Amino acid sequence: MFKRFHQLYPADSMASDQKIYRASTTAPVNIAVIKYWGKRDPTLNLPTNSSLSVTLSQSDLRTHTTASCSSTYRKETPEDSLLLNGKLEPLTTPRSIACLRSLRALRSELESTNPSLPKLSTYPLRLASSNNFPTAAGLASSAAGFAALVRAIADLYELPQSPTELSLIARQGSGSACRSLLGGYVAWDKGSRDDGTDSCARLVAPKSHWPEMRALILVASAEQKSVSSTAGMQTTVKTSGLFRQRVEAVPQRMLEMEKAIREKDFEAFAEITRKESNSFHATCLDTDPPIFYMNETSKMAIRAVEAINKEAGRTVATYTFDAGPNCVIYYLEKDWDFLAAKLDLALDGKEGWSKERTSDAGGLGVGNERVEEGLKNGVSRVIMTSVGEGPISVQDHLIDEHGKPV
Amino acid sequence: MFKRFHQLYPADSMASDQKIYRASTTAPVNIAVIKYWGKRDPTLNLPTNSSLSVTLSQSDLRTHTTASCSSTYRKETPEDSLLLNGKLEPLTTPRSIACLRSLRALRSELESTNPSLPKLSTYPLRLASSNNFPTAAGLASSAAGFAALVRAIADLYELPQSPTELSLIARQGSGSACRSLLGGYVAWDKGSRDDGTDSCARLVAPKSHWPEMRALILVASAEQKSVSSTAGMQTTVKTSGLFRQRVEAVPQRMLEMEKAIREKDFEAFAEITRKESNSFHATCLDTDPPIFYMNETSKMAIRAVEAINKEAGRTVATYTFDAGPNCVIYYLEKDWDFLAAKLDLALDGKEGWSKERTSDAGGLGVGNERVEEGLKNGVSRVIMTSVGEGPISVQDHLIDEHGKPV
């Protein structure tokens, strides 16, 4: 009997065949200072221009994802599945399929060169994922989400590919996700090949090069659902006359931004960042029909930054807006006290706002009452964070050893 | 005694010398469908691009100006003076001085070729001016103002120059004023000469060619003083990267707009108008620091026009915004009933809103509640008007036969 069983299920094989394989990672959000807007190939997510972002700390904003697979899943849930913040999401979108297919192909290669490896590429995948921030806040959750998905499955499959190589896969899930596979200051080079094999993330500088960079996110209550960035950017490409000029201007801007980061020149970083954001939103407005992502709260945040820099007599802060009304203010650690004192009257009492500072809260000063009032009314919460690392492997699994969500 | 007096003041000369000379005109507002934004010569008011506007009816919006001069003014008020809406305004700005100097030069030419003419060019000017709309509404009042000033003085001086020739002078007062010297559909050709002598207004089509054009102005309560257009446009020229592309695109747009007007093609007129407005505001946003003229009410007005066109299944309305939040909706007379029914829920009760229509007020329909609410809260008054004539000579003087304001 034992022999017969052994023949059917050889010991090694049996062990591996019944096993629940798991790998978990956290992945960061990134906020672009040179924006991705417009695809030259919508299927492959190939952009019309290169972009550049700051990866934000995962202490404050991160997606936590566990990837798991097992032959035993075949009987229960033969389809790949994803539990996102406790809700079952389909993995049947073309973007998810593209990511899973690429990762399985890489695993399959490994398995074919080393036949002793378990055939994980043939097992159903069971994923679980959760964010430590509200998805509704409109904080580039898809970037962290797809970066975590790709990184977790790559770890599960024990793939040898570098983050840059994996970024090619994450890019197909969500363009900006490719930049979340690296920490610090990250470029996404648009590439020139039709198959997109040179359109990937590249490290401009690690966090350690310029660790003083801080980000203060003013989460603005959006009154209505905005145009999705996927739909919006392609309408811009098709209808905006000004868009071409923007695309032509980006290469020079990329060079200047990389130089600013290399030289830790905040003044230059700040100028490019704010002009870039405004140029991006200008092409949104030049779209037909026009797209408005910024609202009155966003404008007040801009005016606040302008007032703070004017008061300081130098550039202590800059702003950028993604496809939504939230303002991301970049500043350097050393200027926190000054910034905090200026913003305290407007942000006092908001969730996430810290009181830790040494100087008195003087507010934005005379003439800026309307700005302070606008922020008071329009900012729903604040996130204080900083430049951070790329994805981190963790042992805290969202799927237990029996394959069940925890 | 009589003889002596006669010697000092010869009868003819005395009569003309004591006389109060007067001429009055009304002049219209114009609302550009291709915008003037950016000067290539700030002193001469030479624009970076040509523009095109619709002159609006003076029944609804006009400046009424009386120009008067007399040798007797020398004793009382030797300086040129302007009473604007009952308030004494200086005529000492470089722009006013430029206009008065040019008009006096033309009069002086006349006087030198015909010595029997009274030497009006040597007399102080006394001007009085009033608008039939609130200046605070932000309705291109300087265009109507300088057009009326130039036209009234030209009439006072009995100058033989054509409106196009006079537009060269009005342009130096306020760029867009040159277009208010003509009725109907008016181009301002940017010209190429350095001295600006070819930068003047040109009739594209008189009102009679396409009299069905209507304008509905939604006056939006502006919460704060905007950047003046004079200051704003030069900051755009200096700092906006997208501005160059806009300037390059205008010549083609001018040709298309003139064709649309010639062919009375409202669909084309509407598309160019809305894209032009959005392109202009996009370059404002691309300015450093960014300029925002549109507010939330403006955005709601755009959404309302989009909803109305969608509901109609064709283009019945278009929108344009000058350097402020007011929305100017252009439409054709035949579509009034449809438009009025759609907008009535949002505009009911507003000053200036007419109830005269035959169809039921259905509102903007499901899904547009927020748009209606936004307009309800943000529109302070409505002006219903139409394409109109150029300046009109009137006998209703704002200065009496003794040289006093009435």
Side-chain angles (χ1 to χ4, degrees):
Chain A
M1 173 105 171
F2 178 77
K3 190 181 171 201
R4 198 172 152 207
F5 186 86
H6 185 74
Q7 280 174 325
L8 277 172
Y9 302 98
D12 276 337
S13 146
M14 183 186 77
S16 68
D17 202 39
Q18 303 274 325
K19 191 175 165 186
I20 306 289
Y21 295 88
R22 294 181 298 169
S24 293
T25 191
T26 61
V29 161
N30 70 76
I31 299 287
V33 289
I34 294 184
K35 303 292 187 190
Y36 158 46
W37 197 252
K39 303 174 203 272
R40 66 174 202 276
D41 182 325
T43 309
L44 292 172
N45 268 352
L46 300 179
T48 50
N49 59 264
S50 298
S51 54
L52 199 152
S53 57
V54 180
T55 296
L56 298 185
S57 168
Q58 293 170 64
S59 317
D60 306 299
L61 298 166
R62 57 130 187 81
T63 295
H64 178 186
T65 295
T66 297
S68 135
C69 66
S70 173
S71 69
T72 63
Y73 291 173
R74 284 186 187 130
K75 297 163 211 157
E76 303 161 36
T77 52
E79 305 293 325
D80 298 325
S81 69
L82 165 66
L83 201 69
L84 176 61
N85 294 321
K87 206 185 138 212
L88 209 61
E89 297 276 337
L91 278 171
T92 51
T93 62
R95 294 169 163 218
S96 303
I97 290 170
C99 288
L100 300 188
R101 186 189 294 133
S102 299
L103 291 160
R104 278 202 168 95
L106 292 175
R107 172 67 190 181
S108 184
E109 261 178 55
L110 280 189
E111 292 164 1
S112 61
T113 54
N114 180 357
S116 73
L117 289 175
K119 301 287 180 288
L120 302 192
S121 67
T122 68
Y123 298 168
L125 281 161
R126 207 173 271 182
L127 308 172
S129 194
S130 77
N131 297 328
N132 67 345
F133 56 92
T135 316
L139 291 159
S141 53
S142 70
F146 272 104
L149 177 143
V150 168
R151 182 73 266 177
I153 299 175
D155 290 350
L156 177 75
Y157 287 170
E158 298 183 327
L159 301 181
Q161 276 73 19
S162 71
T164 285
E165 289 170 295
L166 292 176
S167 78
L168 290 164
I169 299 174
R171 188 203 71 221
Q172 296 174 62
S174 168
S176 54
C178 75
R179 296 186 311 242
S180 273
L181 280 168
L182 292 159
Y185 304 83
V186 185
W188 171 12
D189 293 317
K190 71 195 262 305
S192 56
R193 290 186 210 138
D194 283 346
D195 65 359
T197 50
D198 57 352
S199 185
C200 56
R202 169 175 56 86
L203 186 70
V204 172
K207 172 187 165 177
S208 57
H209 166 73
W210 201 7
E212 299 86 1
M213 185 67 72
R214 295 288 175 274
L216 169 65
I217 307 178
L218 308 182
V219 180
S221 347
E223 298 104 15
Q224 71 176 149
K225 178 97 187 86
S226 291
V227 177
S228 85
S229 56
T230 302
M233 63 173 74
Q234 289 316 88
T235 315
T236 301
V237 172
K238 273 186 218 129
T239 64
S240 168
L242 302 181
F243 179 69
R244 186 173 55 84
Q245 175 121 358
R246 171 175 157 73
V247 167
E248 284 169 11
V250 167
Q252 180 60 27
R253 216 169 259 171
M254 283 288 290
L255 292 176
E256 288 168 9
M257 182 55 97
E258 293 192 40
K259 182 168 178 281
I261 291 168
R262 271 198 315 273
E263 299 176 355
K264 300 196 266 187
D265 176 350
F266 186 78
E267 177 88 28
F269 174 91
E271 181 179 344
I272 303 165
T273 296
R274 79 170 180 266
K275 285 188 177 176
E276 235 302 298
S277 176
N278 290 329
S279 146
F280 153 50
H281 289 278
T283 63
C284 290
L285 172 47
D286 190 49
T287 299
D288 187 44
I291 304 170
F292 299 95
Y293 287 121
M294 288 196 271
N295 63 18
E296 291 300 309
T297 307
S298 315
K299 294 182 200 171
M300 293 304 105
I302 290 178
R303 297 304 175 223
V305 169
E306 289 169 356
I308 288 166
N309 288 335
K310 195 179 165 192
E311 178 74 13
R314 62 186 175 88
T315 304
V316 299
T318 189
Y319 56 82
T320 188
F321 297 82
D322 275 355
N326 297 341
C327 182
V328 178
I329 297 176
Y330 283 115
Y331 63 99
L332 294 179
E333 188 183 18
K334 69 182 171 68
D335 291 319
W336 165 245
D337 255 21
F338 184 84
L339 196 73
K342 293 289 154 205
L343 287 174
D344 193 63
L345 284 188
L347 301 178
D348 185 38
K350 301 280 178 201
E351 183 184 344
W353 180 244
S354 163
K355 307 290 274 178
E356 288 168 38
R357 55 166 198 283
T358 53
S359 40
D360 285 341
L364 291 170
V366 174
N368 292 297
E369 295 80 6
R370 201 173 148 262
V371 173
E372 274 171 341
E373 196 60 28
L375 293 179
K376 226 175 250 184
N377 294 333
V379 174
S380 59
R381 59 176 286 182
V382 163
I383 296 164
M384 292 170 52
T385 185
S386 60
V387 60
E389 305 288 0
I392 300 164
S393 276
V394 293
Q395 292 308 312
D396 180 13
H397 299 302
L398 299 173
I399 293 173
D400 70 14
E401 60 270 31
H402 309 294
K404 305 291 172 209
V406 295
Chain B
M1 172 105 172
F2 177 76
K3 193 180 171 205
R4 197 169 154 215
F5 185 87
H6 185 76
Q7 279 172 329
L8 278 171
Y9 301 98
D12 273 337
S13 147
M14 182 186 77
S16 68
D17 203 40
Q18 302 273 327
K19 190 175 164 186
I20 307 288
Y21 296 88
R22 294 181 297 167
S24 294
T25 193
T26 62
V29 162
N30 70 76
I31 300 286
V33 288
I34 294 184
K35 304 292 188 191
Y36 159 47
W37 196 253
K39 304 176 204 270
R40 66 174 202 276
D41 182 324
T43 309
L44 292 172
N45 268 351
L46 300 180
T48 50
N49 59 264
S50 298
S51 54
L52 198 150
S53 57
V54 180
T55 297
L56 298 184
S57 169
Q58 293 170 65
S59 316
D60 306 300
L61 298 166
R62 56 128 189 82
T63 296
H64 179 187
T65 295
T66 298
S68 133
C69 67
S70 173
S71 69
T72 65
Y73 291 173
R74 285 187 185 129
K75 298 161 212 160
E76 304 159 35
T77 52
E79 305 293 324
D80 299 324
S81 70
L82 165 66
L83 200 70
L84 177 60
N85 295 320
K87 204 185 140 211
L88 210 61
E89 297 277 337
L91 278 172
T92 51
T93 62
R95 296 172 160 216
S96 302
I97 290 171
C99 289
L100 300 188
R101 185 190 295 133
S102 298
L103 291 161
R104 279 203 167 93
L106 292 175
R107 171 68 190 184
S108 185
E109 260 178 56
L110 280 188
E111 292 164 0
S112 61
T113 53
N114 181 356
S116 74
L117 290 175
K119 301 286 178 288
L120 303 192
S121 66
T122 67
Y123 299 168
L125 280 161
R126 206 172 270 183
L127 307 172
S129 195
S130 77
N131 298 329
N132 66 346
F133 56 93
T135 316
L139 291 158
S141 53
S142 70
F146 272 103
L149 177 144
V150 169
R151 182 73 264 177
I153 299 176
D155 289 350
L156 177 75
Y157 287 171
E158 298 183 326
L159 300 180
Q161 274 74 19
S162 70
T164 286
E165 288 171 296
L166 293 176
S167 77
L168 290 165
I169 299 174
R171 188 203 71 222
Q172 297 175 61
S174 167
S176 56
C178 75
R179 296 186 311 241
S180 274
L181 280 168
L182 291 160
Y185 303 84
V186 184
W188 171 13
D189 294 317
K190 73 194 260 307
S192 55
R193 291 184 210 139
D194 283 345
D195 65 0
T197 49
D198 58 350
S199 185
C200 56
R202 169 175 55 86
L203 186 69
V204 172
K207 172 188 166 177
S208 57
H209 166 73
W210 202 7
E212 299 86 1
M213 186 66 74
R214 295 288 175 276
L216 169 65
I217 307 177
L218 308 182
V219 180
S221 349
E223 298 102 15
Q224 71 176 151
K225 178 98 187 87
S226 291
V227 177
S228 84
S229 56
T230 302
M233 63 173 73
Q234 289 317 88
T235 315
T236 302
V237 172
K238 274 186 217 124
T239 64
S240 167
L242 301 181
F243 179 69
R244 186 173 55 83
Q245 175 121 359
R246 172 176 155 73
V247 167
E248 283 170 10
V250 168
Q252 180 61 26
R253 218 170 257 171
M254 283 288 288
L255 292 175
E256 288 167 9
M257 182 54 97
E258 293 192 39
K259 180 167 179 282
I261 291 168
R262 271 198 315 274
E263 298 176 355
K264 300 195 269 187
D265 177 349
F266 185 78
E267 178 88 31
F269 173 91
E271 181 179 343
I272 302 164
T273 296
R274 81 171 176 263
K275 287 188 176 175
E276 236 300 301
S277 176
N278 290 330
S279 147
F280 153 52
H281 290 278
T283 64
C284 289
L285 173 47
D286 189 48
T287 299
D288 187 43
I291 304 170
F292 299 95
Y293 287 122
M294 288 196 272
N295 63 17
E296 291 300 308
T297 307
S298 315
K299 293 182 201 172
M300 291 305 106
I302 290 178
R303 297 305 175 222
V305 169
E306 288 170 355
I308 287 167
N309 288 335
K310 194 179 166 195
E311 177 76 14
R314 64 188 173 89
T315 305
V316 299
T318 189
Y319 56 81
T320 188
F321 297 82
D322 275 355
N326 297 340
C327 182
V328 178
I329 297 176
Y330 282 116
Y331 63 99
L332 295 179
E333 188 184 21
K334 69 183 170 68
D335 291 319
W336 165 246
D337 255 22
F338 184 83
L339 195 73
K342 294 288 154 205
L343 287 174
D344 194 63
L345 284 187
L347 301 179
D348 185 39
K350 301 280 178 202
E351 183 185 346
W353 179 244
S354 164
K355 305 291 273 180
E356 288 169 36
R357 56 167 196 282
T358 53
S359 40
D360 285 341
L364 291 170
V366 175
N368 292 298
E369 295 79 6
R370 200 172 149 263
V371 173
E372 274 171 342
E373 198 60 28
L375 294 179
K376 226 175 252 184
N377 294 333
V379 173
S380 60
R381 60 176 286 183
V382 163
I383 296 164
M384 293 169 54
T385 185
S386 60
V387 58
E389 306 288 359
I392 299 165
S393 276
V394 293
Q395 291 309 312
D396 180 14
H397 299 303
L398 299 173
I399 293 173
D400 69 16
E401 60 269 31
H402 309 295
K404 304 292 172 210
V406 294

